[in-house]
Amino acid sequence: MSNCCDKREEIFRAALELIAEQGFHGAPMAMIAERAGVAAGTIYRYFENKDALIVDLFHEIDDKIGAVIMQDYQQAKPLRERFHHIFTTLARYFVKHPLHFRYIEQFHNSPYGVEFKRDILQRKTGDCHIYRDLLEEGVAQQVIKDLPMPILFALAFGPLKVVVRDHILGFVALEDELIDKLMAACWDGIRR
Amino acid sequence: MSNCCDKREEIFRAALELIAEQGFHGAPMAMIAERAGVAAGTIYRYFENKDALIVDLFHEIDDKIGAVIMQDYQQAKPLRERFHHIFTTLARYFVKHPLHFRYIEQFHNSPYGVEFKRDILQRKTGDCHIYRDLLEEGVAQQVIKDLPMPILFALAFGPLKVVVRDHILGFVALEDELIDKLMAACWDGIRR
Amino acid sequence: MSNCCDKREEIFRAALELIAEQGFHGAPMAMIAERAGVAAGTIYRYFENKDALIVDLFHEIDDKIGAVIMQDYQQAKPLRERFHHIFTTLARYFVKHPLHFRYIEQFHNSPYGVEFKRDILQRKTGDCHIYRDLLEEGVAQQVIKDLPMPILFALAFGPLKVVVRDHILGFVALEDELIDKLMAACWDGIRR
Amino acid sequence: MSNCCDKREEIFRAALELIAEQGFHGAPMAMIAERAGVAAGTIYRYFENKDALIVDLFHEIDDKIGAVIMQDYQQAKPLRERFHHIFTTLARYFVKHPLHFRYIEQFHNSPYGVEFKRDILQRKTGDCHIYRDLLEEGVAQQVIKDLPMPILFALAFGPLKVVVRDHILGFVALEDELIDKLMAACWDGIRR
DNA sequence: AATGAATGAGAATTCATTCAT
DNA sequence: TATGAATGAATTCTCATTCAT
């Protein structure tokens, strides 16, 4: 457990940093290895190849985000509060982990991410059902507009994605107060 | 005149298709040349190098979009109508030209696009001032929420981006009626 | 005659400048053409290919030097005076035409020049016989050391080559007085 | 240790042979690799790029020559004997290592060598100070002509360069006896 | 398990030369 | 004759992956 996971962790960290900052182009295996403090060949003990490393790292991050959201998620709370929880948790997570955000963006806009996207959009994997369940519940309760799920999803979380990017580029300071206002506006977008 | 522009056009077309579909990785110069029906060296008569080709192609598309939006834009019309015009024109353009949409996405999520983004976010180039002017006017008239520009921008157009992607992947059929509904919801997001 | 020779002349001039200053690497045909004010294809009307251009240009320069030396060469004058004439004429020519000197150097140190050198060293071409005749006469008269011809040649003109290079690089100012001193020293080298 | 230095050595050897015989043009990296018995990419483990390989190889040779000259150089010996030592050592080295001579010539007549030449002419690097010290000492002792250093340098070693070239091309057989005569003549050129 | 030197296919780019106009 | 766009072979260099140690 000791050595094994350390190395894997280090490789993940190195890949995350390099890819998030330089893109897939700017992250050759040799460079990832160097930054991780392991030999190039060692990466292949933990990952079948570069693609697998990239995909695994994505899932690692994706799972982490899912876990954070689920952590204090209370199904019993009113709809809007639950939306508030998801939205602000996501926003704070990305503000706190800009490299994760940028990695996910890189991933989605790459051949690696295309196949995966089919899954996630069909809500087959991950914790996406939380988002969907919430929205579907809202539609059923006639609190949320009766629109196709992808539309609602885009209205609810699309702006967040754009704003986080702007935040990372330094064009807005995404502080708690602003996150709340953004959330409120997104809620305006989806509610009846 | 004949030959000159044909070749350049063909190279643009080939690069657009390959990059939009396969990403920058999947579009080596030799392949672009082959698909364009020219020799590899020919590309370099029209573009200084691959980067220049990529940036030029982006501007080509960007200008085209700007032109389409400006075409029937009527400054005299009420705010919401102007927003409607921009929004639906954009949506229809992307539905009609999915490769353009995917190319732009690739571009923005790449080293090539980083520098450019700084400009566009600072609204220094292109027709972006149209968007900003519209939103600023709305804020001044107290029709639109008083939020920082990047936030309003994200609320107004962020969902569209996500939905267009879903449309291209086949998860929604972005028809005129749905575009209108989406636009209305986005308007709900930004209006007071 | 008018147009024909102008172009050829311009191509020669352009090639001389570029090759002397940038080496053969730094003188692509397209660049030579541009500097000569002709189209790339035009060069091939006057020269079979790049090699031919390079060799022809060498001969052009070589002939010019030969002509200058022969111009005031007086067979009747004493040996040392004739040596003085050749030496100082050469020196002044190179000082006046540094590009010619550098071109010749480039040429001799290139695959182009190798074959040619065989000829010239066997004294088959050019005005080299002047040098050789002079030295042979000196040997016969027991004024000049009895050494193999290439040795005498090297002693007589080798230093000049090195000094001209230094002059062009700015490490000595090769003025008339210094040329005379250099010549005198070279004469010391070859005379009995 | 074993493999490392072998490969580097082999690459040096291959590059030396090819460049000395065919010039920089005639020595593509792939050909150097093939002749060295390594893969093309392997060269780049030992040298940053082709330029670095070329420059490093030059210094390798240059250092070797410097070492050979210094090996039996005795500062205490009379001036002429020291000159004799340097001159004949150089001559024999080049006779023994014609590829080294031709490589150096190629190098000096190339963009690679230009920058370096400035140094060596200013006697800033290598063992060149030996030559200069010797000549300056001779001038001070009024044994050698009072001429600018580049002139003396050219008189002392310029002929050797020309003769070595002729020797390599097969026009003289530069044997010990002849080397001595050449040296004596060069001494005549510089001595008072 | 770990290493990292070695591999070699593949990518971008250059440039002498050709040929339709 | 002259043009210069087009060609495509050749060149430099990169990098994912392997394998002997």
Side-chain angles (χ1 to χ4, degrees):
Chain A
M1 188 205 106
S2 59
N3 232 5
C4 139
C5 298
D6 283 1
K7 297 237 158 136
R8 193 185 161 87
E9 233 19 74
E10 286 303 298
I11 293 163
F12 264 158
R13 192 184 47 73
L16 170 66
E17 287 173 17
L18 282 169
I19 293 170
E21 282 163 11
Q22 322 281 345
F24 294 111
H25 286 87
M29 292 298 260
M31 207 182 282
I32 292 172
E34 192 192 26
R35 189 178 280 224
V38 302
T42 303
I43 297 181
Y44 291 85
R45 294 222 145 267
Y46 297 93
F47 306 96
E48 198 185 329
N49 52 33
K50 194 176 184 181
D51 284 20
L53 165 60
I54 286 166
V55 172
D56 284 4
L57 177 49
F58 173 75
H59 284 123
E60 178 94 356
I61 294 171
D62 202 42
D63 290 351
K64 225 172 262 176
I65 294 171
V68 169
I69 286 172
M70 294 308 289
Q71 198 177 328
D72 296 319
Y73 188 74
Q74 291 172 282
Q75 187 65 44
K77 291 271 179 113
L79 212 66
R80 196 177 186 281
E81 275 185 53
R82 279 182 278 152
F83 179 69
H84 179 269
H85 170 76
I86 291 174
F87 195 97
T88 55
T89 304
L90 264 180
R92 286 197 199 103
Y93 184 90
F94 287 138
V95 167
K96 196 172 170 189
H97 304 288
L99 293 183
H100 288 202
F101 179 80
R102 290 174 68 179
Y103 185 87
I104 290 173
E105 290 289 283
Q106 303 268 357
F107 184 82
H108 278 141
N109 282 284
S110 78
Y112 305 112
V114 167
E115 197 179 335
F116 178 80
K117 198 135 25 115
R118 302 211 161 264
D119 296 346
I120 211 165
L121 280 165
Q122 292 175 324
R123 317 295 179 241
K124 279 182 186 167
T125 65
D127 297 296
C128 278
H129 65 96
I130 287 290
Y131 310 137
R132 192 183 51 181
D133 290 352
L134 182 81
L135 295 169
E136 281 180 347
E137 192 183 324
V139 173
Q141 292 179 12
Q142 302 197 325
V143 176
I144 289 178
K145 289 176 175 123
D146 187 14
L147 290 169
M149 198 48 54
I151 304 287
L152 290 176
F153 194 82
L155 287 164
F157 300 107
L160 178 57
K161 201 170 131 182
V162 177
V163 171
V164 169
R165 196 187 291 172
D166 280 10
H167 168 84
I168 288 170
L169 287 168
F171 296 113
V172 245
L174 199 48
E175 284 150 6
D176 282 358
E177 195 188 355
L178 198 54
I179 291 174
D180 280 345
K181 285 179 181 167
L182 181 62
M183 186 274 300
C186 286
W187 181 257
D188 287 343
I190 57 174
R191 78 147 184 235
R192 286 225 181 193
Chain B
M1 188 205 106
S2 58
N3 237 3
C4 139
C5 299
D6 283 1
K7 295 246 153 123
R8 193 185 161 91
E9 229 25 70
E10 286 303 298
I11 293 164
F12 262 158
R13 192 183 48 71
L16 171 66
E17 286 173 18
L18 281 168
I19 293 170
E21 282 162 11
Q22 323 280 345
F24 294 112
H25 285 87
M29 292 299 259
M31 206 182 283
I32 292 172
E34 193 190 23
R35 188 177 281 223
V38 302
T42 301
I43 297 180
Y44 292 88
R45 288 203 64 74
Y46 295 95
F47 306 96
E48 200 183 329
N49 50 35
K50 193 175 183 178
D51 282 20
L53 165 60
I54 286 166
V55 172
D56 284 5
L57 178 49
F58 173 75
H59 282 124
E60 177 93 357
I61 294 171
D62 202 43
D63 290 351
K64 226 171 260 177
I65 294 170
V68 169
I69 286 173
M70 294 309 287
Q71 197 176 328
D72 295 319
Y73 189 74
Q74 291 172 285
Q75 187 65 43
K77 291 271 179 114
L79 213 65
R80 196 176 186 284
E81 275 184 53
R82 278 182 279 153
F83 178 69
H84 178 271
H85 169 76
I86 291 174
F87 195 97
T88 54
T89 305
L90 264 180
R92 285 196 201 104
Y93 184 90
F94 287 137
V95 167
K96 194 172 170 189
H97 304 288
L99 293 182
H100 288 202
F101 178 79
R102 291 175 68 179
Y103 185 87
I104 289 173
E105 290 290 281
Q106 303 268 359
F107 183 82
H108 278 141
N109 281 283
S110 79
Y112 306 113
V114 168
E115 198 179 333
F116 180 79
K117 197 134 28 115
R118 302 213 159 264
D119 294 347
I120 213 165
L121 279 166
Q122 293 174 325
R123 319 291 180 245
K124 278 182 184 165
T125 62
D127 296 297
C128 278
H129 63 97
I130 287 290
Y131 310 137
R132 192 184 51 183
D133 289 353
L134 183 81
L135 295 169
E136 282 180 347
E137 192 184 322
V139 173
Q141 293 178 13
Q142 303 196 326
V143 175
I144 288 177
K145 290 177 174 119
D146 188 14
L147 290 168
M149 197 49 53
I151 305 285
L152 290 177
F153 195 82
L155 287 164
F157 300 107
L160 177 57
K161 207 170 128 179
V162 177
V163 171
V164 169
R165 198 187 290 172
D166 280 8
H167 167 84
I168 289 169
L169 287 168
F171 297 112
V172 245
L174 199 46
E175 284 151 5
D176 282 359
E177 195 189 353
L178 197 53
I179 292 173
D180 278 347
K181 286 179 181 169
L182 180 63
M183 186 275 299
C186 287
W187 181 257
D188 286 344
I190 57 173
R191 77 143 184 241
R192 285 224 181 194
Chain C
M1 188 205 104
S2 59
N3 233 5
C4 139
C5 298
D6 283 2
K7 296 236 158 136
R8 193 184 161 89
E9 233 18 74
E10 286 304 297
I11 293 164
F12 263 158
R13 192 183 49 71
L16 170 67
E17 287 174 17
L18 282 169
I19 294 170
E21 282 163 10
Q22 323 280 347
F24 294 111
H25 286 87
M29 292 297 260
M31 207 183 283
I32 293 172
E34 191 191 27
R35 188 178 281 223
V38 302
T42 303
I43 298 180
Y44 292 86
R45 295 225 144 265
Y46 295 93
F47 306 95
E48 197 184 330
N49 52 34
K50 194 177 183 179
D51 283 20
L53 165 60
I54 285 166
V55 172
D56 284 5
L57 177 50
F58 174 75
H59 284 124
E60 177 94 356
I61 294 171
D62 203 43
D63 290 351
K64 226 172 258 176
I65 294 171
V68 169
I69 285 172
M70 294 308 288
Q71 196 177 331
D72 296 318
Y73 188 73
Q74 291 172 283
Q75 187 65 42
K77 290 271 179 116
L79 212 64
R80 196 177 187 284
E81 274 184 55
R82 277 182 280 153
F83 179 70
H84 178 270
H85 169 76
I86 291 174
F87 195 98
T88 55
T89 304
L90 264 180
R92 286 197 199 103
Y93 184 90
F94 288 136
V95 166
K96 196 172 169 187
H97 304 289
L99 293 182
H100 288 201
F101 178 80
R102 290 174 68 179
Y103 185 87
I104 289 173
E105 291 288 282
Q106 304 266 1
F107 184 82
H108 278 141
N109 282 283
S110 78
Y112 306 113
V114 166
E115 197 179 336
F116 178 79
K117 197 128 35 105
R118 303 211 160 263
D119 296 345
I120 212 165
L121 280 165
Q122 293 173 323
R123 317 293 181 246
K124 280 182 185 167
T125 63
D127 297 296
C128 278
H129 63 97
I130 287 288
Y131 310 137
R132 190 182 55 180
D133 290 352
L134 182 81
L135 294 169
E136 282 179 347
E137 192 184 323
V139 174
Q141 291 179 14
Q142 304 197 325
V143 175
I144 288 177
K145 288 173 175 126
D146 188 15
L147 289 168
M149 196 48 53
I151 305 286
L152 290 177
F153 195 82
L155 287 163
F157 300 107
L160 177 58
K161 205 171 129 179
V162 177
V163 171
V164 169
R165 197 187 292 173
D166 279 11
H167 167 84
I168 288 169
L169 286 168
F171 296 113
V172 247
L174 199 47
E175 283 151 5
D176 282 358
E177 196 188 355
L178 198 54
I179 292 173
D180 279 345
K181 285 178 182 169
L182 180 63
M183 187 274 300
C186 287
W187 181 256
D188 287 344
I190 58 174
R191 78 144 184 238
R192 286 223 181 196
Chain D
M1 190 206 105
S2 57
N3 238 3
C4 138
C5 300
D6 285 1
K7 295 249 153 121
R8 193 186 161 90
E9 229 25 69
E10 287 303 298
I11 292 163
F12 262 159
R13 191 183 49 70
L16 171 66
E17 287 173 17
L18 281 168
I19 294 170
E21 283 162 11
Q22 322 281 345
F24 294 110
H25 286 86
M29 292 301 258
M31 208 182 281
I32 293 172
E34 192 190 25
R35 187 178 281 222
V38 301
T42 303
I43 298 181
Y44 293 87
R45 288 203 63 74
Y46 295 95
F47 306 96
E48 201 184 328
N49 51 36
K50 194 175 183 180
D51 283 20
L53 166 59
I54 286 166
V55 171
D56 283 5
L57 179 48
F58 174 75
H59 283 124
E60 177 95 355
I61 294 171
D62 203 43
D63 290 351
K64 224 172 261 176
I65 294 171
V68 168
I69 286 172
M70 295 308 288
Q71 198 176 330
D72 296 318
Y73 189 74
Q74 290 172 283
Q75 186 65 44
K77 291 272 180 108
L79 213 65
R80 196 177 187 283
E81 275 184 54
R82 278 182 279 152
F83 178 69
H84 178 269
H85 170 77
I86 291 175
F87 195 97
T88 55
T89 305
L90 264 180
R92 285 196 202 103
Y93 184 91
F94 287 137
V95 167
K96 196 173 168 188
H97 304 288
L99 292 182
H100 288 202
F101 178 79
R102 290 175 69 179
Y103 186 87
I104 289 173
E105 291 289 283
Q106 303 268 358
F107 184 82
H108 277 142
N109 281 284
S110 79
Y112 306 112
V114 166
E115 197 179 334
F116 181 79
K117 195 139 26 125
R118 302 210 160 264
D119 294 345
I120 212 164
L121 281 166
Q122 292 174 325
R123 319 290 180 246
K124 277 183 186 167
T125 64
D127 296 296
C128 278
H129 64 97
I130 287 289
Y131 311 137
R132 191 183 54 182
D133 289 352
L134 183 82
L135 295 169
E136 282 179 347
E137 193 184 321
V139 173
Q141 291 179 14
Q142 302 197 328
V143 176
I144 288 178
K145 289 175 176 126
D146 188 15
L147 289 168
M149 198 48 55
I151 305 285
L152 290 176
F153 194 81
L155 287 164
F157 300 106
L160 177 58
K161 204 171 131 179
V162 177
V163 171
V164 168
R165 196 187 291 172
D166 280 10
H167 167 84
I168 288 169
L169 287 168
F171 297 112
V172 245
L174 199 47
E175 284 150 5
D176 281 359
E177 196 187 354
L178 197 54
I179 292 172
D180 279 345
K181 285 179 182 169
L182 181 62
M183 186 275 300
C186 287
W187 182 256
D188 287 344
I190 58 173
R191 78 147 184 234
R192 285 223 181 197

